[in-house]
């Protein structure tokens, strides 16, 4: 059904739940790589039709409920803001659809576990849309580490700093909408640390807040058995080069700006000599690879793969819960039963 090039045979039909910025990035990558985008749903008929017209999608639904009930939709891509992922994903799963859920997957680990449990009970695929995890350069990085080229991994360094809207009413700054740097930006370096080193044994976190009370910038140290560390940071009101490093006892991997995109990287030995330069252009932005993974799992009758199993998504959310506990950032969803 799919292959390592991130293409599809078009057998599964996709429904797009939400018509915001991220949906506008995902849909062209699907369409240009053979995926069938069947329908879109929004909270209003107007926004749904405008999105459908702009992207050449045949069916526009004026509600999320109508989208997930559409018998011509097999997979739902949840592209709403993360406070709504929990309800939207449960609705799609209860309608019998496989689900690709944007990151951050949910507000907290409890919500994530409920989604994962329902998908397992129904035998459906639920996959976190951490698109970076499935890109070719990340696949090659895992191979290099696995081959022992840089020795024992001792440290991962990754940043995600952006200069984003400072309006207090913007969703990024609104605690009622899960605002703050951590869930929107920090998810990238945190997921990368999990990819390379797994779940940490201990987390040490620090943050500064905005006037609205969400985290403006957050840094964390992940500690692992054997002494390895991941140092991750994010910020929403100051941009940086956003590079990443994987440092081992026999060398290091330098991933260029912006590291979570399909960019080149260079491998060096411990003396600083270049060992390998990797550069593989991809079609579009590269968001088709995560969709290809979902279709591969569905075609194989599997509900979890090795690259980003649902259990790891829950573990990542739990790590962000712990960071928020340490920095004193609580959302409404944390206190709901």
């Amino acid at each position: 059904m799919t292959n390592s090039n991130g293409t599809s045979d078009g057998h599964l039909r996709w429904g797009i739940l939400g018509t915001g910025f991220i949906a506008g990035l995902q849909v062209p990558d699907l369409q240009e790589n053979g995926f069938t985008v069947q329908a879109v749903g929004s909270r209003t008929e107007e926004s749904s039709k405008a999105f459908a017209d702009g992207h050449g999608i045949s069916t526009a639904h004026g509600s999320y409920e109508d989208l997930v009930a559409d018998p011509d939709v097999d997979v739902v891509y949840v592209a709403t803001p993360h406070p709504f992922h929990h309800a939207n994903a449960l609705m799609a799963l209860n309608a019998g659809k496989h689900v690709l859920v944007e990151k951050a997957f949910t507000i907290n680990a409890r919500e994530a576990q409920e989604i994962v449990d329902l998908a397992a009970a129904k035998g459906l695929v639920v996959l976190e849309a951490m698109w970076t995890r499935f890109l070719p350069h990340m696949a090659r990085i895992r191979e290099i580490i696995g081959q022992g080229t840089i020795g024992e991994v001792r440290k991962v360094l990754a940043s995600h700093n952006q200069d984003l809207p400072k309006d207090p009413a913007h969703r990024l700054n609104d605690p009622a909408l899960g605002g703050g740097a951590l869930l929107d930006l920090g998810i990238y370096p945190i997921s990368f640390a999990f990819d390379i080193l797994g779940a940490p044994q201990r987390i040490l976190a620090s943050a500064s807040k905005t006037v609205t009370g969400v985290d403006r910038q957050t840094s964390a140290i992940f500690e692992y058995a054997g002494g390895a560390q991941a140092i991750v940071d994010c910020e929403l009101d100051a941009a940086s080069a956003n590079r990443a490093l994987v440092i081992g006892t026999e060398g290091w991997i330098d991933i260029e700006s912006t590291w979570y995109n399909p960019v080149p990287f260079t491998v060096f030995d411990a003396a600083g000599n270049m060992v390998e330069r990797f550069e593989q252009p991809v079609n579009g932005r590269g968001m088709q690879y995560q969709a290809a993974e979902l279709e591969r799992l569905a075609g194989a009758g599997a509900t979890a793969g090795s690259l980003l199993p649902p259990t790891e998504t829950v573990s990542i959310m739990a790590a962000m819960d712990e960071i928020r506990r340490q920095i004193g950032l609580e959302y409404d969803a944390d206190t709901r039963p």
Side-chain angles (χ1 to χ4, degrees):
M1 182 171 293
T2 61
N3 61 45
S4 60
N5 293 323
T7 59
S8 170
D9 65 6
H11 177 70
L12 291 180
R13 300 161 298 180
W14 287 72
I16 311 301
L17 194 154
T19 56
F21 174 75
I22 196 68
L25 295 176
Q26 177 72 78
V27 168
D29 277 359
L30 294 176
Q31 293 171 326
E32 292 167 13
N33 289 280
F35 295 82
T36 299
V37 181
Q38 179 68 31
V40 61
S42 184
R43 290 174 296 179
T44 68
E45 193 78 44
E46 293 76 16
S47 62
S48 182
K49 186 156 190 327
F51 190 92
D53 290 345
H55 293 277
I57 300 172
S58 60
T59 304
H61 293 291
S63 72
Y64 300 148
E65 291 79 6
D66 287 348
L67 174 73
V68 302
D70 189 334
D72 293 327
V73 168
D74 305 303
V75 185
V76 170
Y77 167 58
V78 175
T80 49
H82 41 258
F84 309 110
H85 290 175
H86 177 251
N88 295 158
L90 293 180
M91 181 171 59
L93 290 167
N94 279 318
K97 315 299 185 184
H98 302 294
V99 185
L100 178 66
V101 184
E102 260 308 327
K103 73 289 171 236
F105 190 73
T106 50
I107 287 289
N108 55 39
R110 176 186 58 79
E111 289 187 343
Q113 189 66 61
E114 289 176 2
I115 294 171
V116 169
D117 288 346
L118 181 60
K122 291 185 170 291
L124 295 166
V125 179
V126 63
L127 183 66
E128 179 186 358
M130 176 42 72
W131 63 294
T132 304
R133 185 73 68 100
F134 307 99
L135 291 172
H137 75 302
M138 290 297 170
R140 180 58 188 146
I141 286 169
R142 286 188 289 269
E143 289 176 350
I144 289 166
I145 292 170
Q147 291 162 357
T149 303
I150 64 168
E152 177 189 347
V153 175
R154 290 287 179 82
K155 191 177 295 181
V156 170
L157 304 172
S159 296
H160 191 187
N161 303 310
Q162 304 283 355
D163 186 12
L164 299 175
K166 299 173 180 61
D167 179 1
H170 192 281
R171 72 160 188 89
L172 286 166
N173 303 304
D174 187 349
L177 293 177
L182 181 65
L183 266 63
D184 259 275
L185 306 179
I187 179 63
Y188 282 91
I190 289 170
S191 184
F192 182 55
F194 268 76
D195 191 8
I196 303 302
L197 290 171
Q201 287 193 329
R202 185 182 182 216
I203 297 173
L204 303 171
S206 176
S208 298
K209 302 284 188 65
T210 67
V211 293
T212 59
V214 301
D215 65 310
R216 174 177 62 78
Q217 63 179 45
T218 295
S219 299
I221 301 173
F222 289 1
E223 297 181 348
Y224 296 85
Q229 295 178 327
I231 302 173
V232 298
D233 66 274
C234 56
E235 181 157 356
L236 53 69
D237 64 353
S240 73
N242 293 325
R243 297 176 77 100
L245 288 169
V246 181
I247 302 169
T249 54
E250 302 297 329
W252 69 89
I253 303 170
D254 180 9
I255 314 174
E256 296 182 8
S257 180
T258 300
W259 67 266
Y260 50 83
N261 286 283
V263 296
F265 68 80
T266 306
V267 184
F268 298 92
D269 66 18
N273 302 305
M274 188 176 74
V275 175
E276 177 180 336
R277 166 84 173 171
F278 181 91
E279 185 169 2
Q280 179 177 323
V282 305
N283 292 329
R285 190 170 189 247
M287 297 177 73
Q288 67 272 20
Y289 290 90
Q290 60 188 359
E293 172 68 357
L294 187 146
E295 290 200 355
R296 184 190 69 79
L297 292 170
T303 56
S306 60
L307 285 182
L308 185 54
T311 51
E312 185 170 333
T313 288
V314 175
S315 184
I316 289 169
M317 290 308 310
M320 293 203 290
D321 286 354
E322 172 59 18
I323 291 171
R324 289 198 296 112
R325 184 192 69 79
Q326 292 187 27
I327 67 174
L329 177 58
E330 186 175 273
Y331 298 121
D332 289 345
D334 297 325
T335 57
R336 286 199 293 266

